[in-house]
Amino acid sequence: MKKNTSITSLGTEKISTLLFQYAVPAIIAMTAASIYNITDSIFIGHGVGKDAISGLVPTFPLINLAAAFGAMVGIGASTLLSIRMGQKDYESANKILGNVVVLNLITGASFAVVFYFVLDPVLLFFGASEQTLPYSRDFMQIILFGNVFSHVYYGLNAVLRASGRPEKAMYSTLITVGINLILNPLFIFGLKLGIRGSALATIISQCIMLIWQYSLFQRKDSFLKFTLDGLKLQKRIVIDSLSIGLSQFLMNAAACVIVILITRGMRQTGGDDAVGAYGIVNRIAFLFVMIVIGLNQGMQPIAGYNYGAKKYDRVIVVFNKTVFFATLAMSAGFLLAQIIPHHIASIFTPDSNQVNLSTNGMRIVFAFFPIVGFQMVTSNFFQSMGMVKKSIFLSLTRQVLFLIPLLIFLPTIWSTNGVWWAMPISDAVASIVAFFMLIPQIRKFKTAADI
């Protein structure tokens, strides 16, 4: 099979050029997706009401859990794809593409069927109240119906990035967001579909782009193509993909538990308005987190390819540059949250109480944001090279070892502020742990590269 020159350049092109080439499209795509989530909440807040914003929050854990299964397949397989291409194993790379689709179909459909029939009790457990449950149910029923399409869509986007076509992955996300922004107000305000209209817009836009993604892999000039042989699950590919993606699954699954604890803590100490305030702060925080995720997605194929090719000096360089830009992004978030939090919160809702609660929460949650980027990049760095155990440990330190105990303990002494403060404190401690885990690995790379 003829090798793809855009892929082999991962081992020869200047790192800063590669990171710009791969990360910028991912950052644009992730930022656009995050901005969509923000505008989605704004449409819901003004078009449906503040209870609808509060009703969205209990759906976050279920969406996180669905994303956990999708990420385990998509990110695990794309990382494996990068490593195999660094090893020049192009035949396996083609089979990975087909296995991504089949695994996502299985996990997406299974998840939807299981949770559709127990939706109400699950949402109540996740923090919905009797007042907000109808909004949570209406939104989540549509999302579950289209879950299988969402899984395949995100999985193929990850493969596009890993196979040397980051700009295509960017276009896929941008066009999806664009369709969403058109359909959302049309369904909510024009057709009076309420919160269901928002969910329906999300699924329809992903389905449209899924057709386009499929066509990309069927083009004559495509390095990877769908084949009948590739659609047959390969035991080795399945095991390797799921094991590499396990850290991402556990991180998202832990995030599910975290949001449940936060939502329940907010409702118990501050009522539905406090839950809605967390939803607003969460949307803003994710704008900056998604920028770092975009950087990580740009770093992943570069680090994975060069690790597979044993070019450890290049692996170190791409890590350092990714950390630098991640720190800049999160520091910008910190400054905005400390300077104009009230103005930001006011965009989402006219309700003064919810705005004041969001303002207080934003200042606290963003307190240690400048060092959060480092922790996120370090965890993804290990995952990019298939170092499963280290990646899993780092993924879980913040959420399981630190955040969950703090969310249980701090609200008992600080009420709602205890819920807010649990998040930045766990960020700070997890970043320290990441630093001490990273140092020995960097030393090994320097020794191997004779730096």
Side-chain angles (χ1 to χ4, degrees):
M1 179 181 293
K2 184 180 179 180
K3 66 182 181 180
N4 187 308
T5 54
S6 66
I7 293 299
T8 56
S9 68
L10 288 170
T12 57
E13 183 65 78
K14 188 178 178 181
I15 292 295
S16 56
T17 301
L18 286 171
L19 192 57
F20 182 85
Q21 176 187 346
Y22 279 78
V24 169
I27 291 170
I28 292 173
M30 292 297 99
T31 303
S34 185
I35 290 173
Y36 164 70
N37 285 333
I38 290 172
T39 56
D40 181 33
S41 295
I42 293 172
F43 288 141
I44 291 172
H46 289 275
V48 187
K50 69 171 186 175
D51 285 340
I53 291 183
S54 299
L56 270 182
V57 178
T59 70
F60 292 171
L62 202 50
I63 292 172
N64 280 340
L65 192 57
F69 285 99
M72 180 166 62
V73 175
I75 294 178
S78 63
T79 300
L80 181 64
L81 186 72
S82 296
I83 295 172
R84 291 292 178 266
M85 289 188 296
Q87 297 168 342
K88 306 297 188 291
D89 186 358
Y90 301 113
E91 183 178 350
S92 291
N94 245 318
K95 291 180 180 178
I96 290 170
L97 171 63
N99 277 226
V100 166
V101 174
V102 175
L103 281 173
N104 273 316
L105 287 172
I106 294 171
T107 57
S110 301
F111 185 92
V113 169
V114 169
F115 282 97
Y116 190 87
F117 294 103
V118 293
L119 193 53
D120 277 16
V122 166
L123 290 171
L124 287 169
F125 177 75
F126 286 173
S129 66
E130 293 298 332
Q131 187 172 348
T132 61
L133 177 61
Y135 298 105
S136 303
R137 181 199 305 123
D138 285 351
F139 184 82
M140 205 62 220
Q141 281 178 338
I142 302 296
I143 294 297
L144 285 176
F145 179 77
N147 189 58
V148 66
F149 305 110
S150 297
H151 273 215
V152 179
Y153 164 78
Y154 285 117
L156 290 183
N157 239 26
V159 171
L160 280 172
R161 279 188 298 270
S163 62
R165 289 181 284 182
E167 75 288 346
K168 298 297 185 185
M170 176 189 72
Y171 295 149
S172 177
T173 303
L174 287 178
I175 297 172
T176 302
V177 170
I179 296 171
N180 242 317
L181 289 175
I182 294 171
L183 295 181
N184 222 303
L186 173 64
F187 289 169
I188 293 176
F189 296 104
L191 300 181
K192 307 296 183 184
L193 295 177
I195 200 168
R196 280 181 173 269
S198 177
L200 191 60
T202 298
I203 299 303
I204 290 175
S205 60
Q206 290 175 350
C207 287
I208 292 172
M209 290 316 299
L210 189 55
I211 297 171
W212 182 70
Q213 288 173 329
Y214 174 79
S215 70
L216 289 177
F217 288 108
Q218 292 306 98
R219 288 170 51 172
K220 291 182 179 180
D221 60 348
S222 176
F223 175 57
L224 296 173
K225 286 186 173 66
F226 288 111
T227 63
L228 289 176
D229 186 50
L231 293 173
K232 297 177 183 177
L233 290 180
Q234 306 286 317
K235 183 178 179 181
R236 188 72 265 161
I237 291 175
V238 171
I239 293 174
D240 288 347
S241 296
L242 296 183
S243 63
I244 292 173
L246 184 60
S247 64
Q248 193 69 34
F249 171 81
L250 293 174
M251 185 168 66
N252 282 29
C256 172
V257 177
I258 296 302
V259 176
I260 294 170
L261 290 174
I262 292 173
T263 304
R264 292 169 72 90
M266 288 294 181
R267 189 154 66 86
Q268 290 169 4
T269 59
D272 285 337
D273 277 359
V275 174
Y278 167 67
I280 292 171
V281 174
N282 178 272
R283 292 301 200 200
I284 298 300
F286 257 77
L287 173 60
F288 298 95
V289 169
M290 292 295 261
I291 292 173
V292 179
I293 291 175
L295 282 164
N296 280 338
Q297 290 177 349
M299 176 186 71
Q300 180 266 315
I302 305 170
Y305 184 98
N306 284 285
Y307 176 73
K310 298 184 178 179
K311 297 183 178 182
Y312 302 121
D313 55 330
R314 293 174 62 80
V315 174
I316 295 172
V317 173
V318 72
F319 170 78
N320 289 338
K321 289 184 180 296
T322 307
V323 168
F324 174 76
F325 290 114
T327 302
L328 285 181
M330 298 305 268
S331 296
F334 165 79
L335 290 174
L336 286 174
Q338 304 310 315
I339 298 171
I340 54 169
H342 190 276
H343 293 82
I344 295 172
S346 298
I347 297 172
F348 289 83
T349 175
D351 186 78
S352 59
N353 186 46
Q354 207 166 62
V355 168
N356 290 333
L357 289 169
S358 302
T359 298
N360 175 58
M362 209 177 302
R363 285 201 171 107
I364 296 173
V365 169
F366 282 69
F368 296 128
F369 251 41
I371 63 174
V372 173
F374 166 78
Q375 197 274 341
M376 292 177 63
V377 173
T378 302
S379 176
N380 188 265
F381 180 61
F382 286 114
Q383 179 181 301
S384 297
M385 299 173 293
M387 297 182 182
V388 179
K389 292 181 180 179
K390 292 179 180 179
S391 179
I392 291 174
F393 180 77
L394 284 179
S395 297
L396 296 182
T397 50
R398 174 190 178 269
Q399 299 183 95
V400 176
L401 296 183
F402 306 134
L403 185 51
I404 289 178
L406 287 171
L407 284 171
I408 294 173
F409 172 69
L410 290 184
T412 63
I413 57 174
W414 285 348
S415 190
T416 303
N417 274 348
V419 182
W420 291 124
W421 271 109
M423 291 177 257
I425 292 173
S426 63
D427 286 336
V429 180
S431 297
I432 295 171
V433 172
F435 175 79
F436 284 106
M437 282 193 66
L438 175 70
I439 296 303
Q441 188 61 57
I442 295 296
R443 285 175 180 165
K444 288 180 183 178
F445 284 157
K446 287 184 175 181
T447 300
D450 194 25
I451 298 176

